[in-house]
Amino acid sequence: MTVRSLKPWLFVSVLLNVFLIGGVGGGLYHWLASSPPAEAVVNQHGLRQAMFKLPAERRRELRQLLRHNRDDSQPLIMAGREARLGVIKQLEAPTLDREALVAELAKAREADVALRALVDSTLAQFAGNLPQDERQKLVEALYLRGEARGKAPVRDKPLQTP
């Protein structure tokens, strides 16, 4: 190959490299410049949102309480999972055994209710040590998601006929 035949390939290679470097640099700039604030990234509900709204020290306390209860909650989680798998098995069976399906649904419901009671008691224990302003943040995060803050929830009005 001569120098003359390599010049077009060198030009194409330089052009391609400039294009690639520009694309990567532009993508990186766009990613860094348009990153949402930390609060917008967290689109959680329930306890996770409540943890985000609490001060770091309180977050650690709540995490520790929940971790402490993890051993108690594992059997309930597994029982609920097994019951839901039983529901799926009953629904996929060639013939539906209604009584077995109802029994599996009841098992799943009981496990879910027991788990919820355990989490609620942990939350009550945690809330007992919080000052009023932090309890208010907890209420907002857990219970006032879509409703107007500090107002009664808007109820659907019945249709009026003319």
Side-chain angles (χ1 to χ4, degrees), residues 2-114:
T2 65
V3 172
R4 190 170 219 176
S5 65
L6 288 177
K7 278 187 180 180
W9 290 108
L10 180 63
F11 179 72
V12 168
S13 174
V14 168
L15 206 74
L16 184 62
N17 284 328
V18 167
F19 177 73
L20 288 173
I21 290 171
V24 168
L28 183 63
Y29 172 77
H30 179 69
W31 182 52
L32 293 175
S34 66
S35 65
E39 188 169 338
V41 171
V42 178
N43 187 16
Q44 303 286 335
H45 298 289
L47 281 177
R48 290 179 194 247
Q49 181 66 23
M51 286 176 133
F52 179 75
K53 291 192 176 215
L54 292 173
E57 151 189 334
R58 297 295 186 186
R59 258 184 262 162
R60 263 185 258 115
E61 289 176 29
L62 183 55
R63 266 194 211 109
Q64 286 174 349
L65 280 172
L66 291 171
R67 282 185 187 136
H68 180 70
N69 286 341
R70 188 182 324 173
D71 293 336
D72 296 337
S73 66
Q74 283 302 319
L76 298 173
I77 292 170
M78 293 306 296
R81 185 175 296 152
E82 288 172 10
R84 281 184 285 282
L85 288 174
V87 168
I88 291 170
K89 186 193 291 185
Q90 290 298 322
L91 290 173
E92 289 177 339
T95 59
L96 181 65
D97 182 0
R98 189 177 186 289
E99 291 178 16
L101 177 63
V102 169
E104 291 296 329
L105 286 168
K107 285 181 197 175
R109 183 175 49 252
E110 289 170 9
D112 290 345
V113 167

Side-chain angles (χ1 to χ4, degrees), residues 117-136:
L118 181 64
V119 171
D120 287 349
S121 68
T122 302
L123 186 61
Q125 177 185 357
F126 174 71
N129 300 328
L130 293 178
Q132 171 65 30
D133 61 328
E134 290 179 0
R135 284 196 317 264
Q136 184 61 37

Side-chain angles (χ1 to χ4, degrees), residues 135-151:
R135 284 196 317 264
Q136 184 61 37
K137 289 179 185 178
L138 195 64
V139 167
E140 290 173 2
L142 289 175
Y143 298 107
L144 299 178
R145 274 192 292 258
E147 303 169 3
R149 308 265 183 213
K151 297 179 182 176

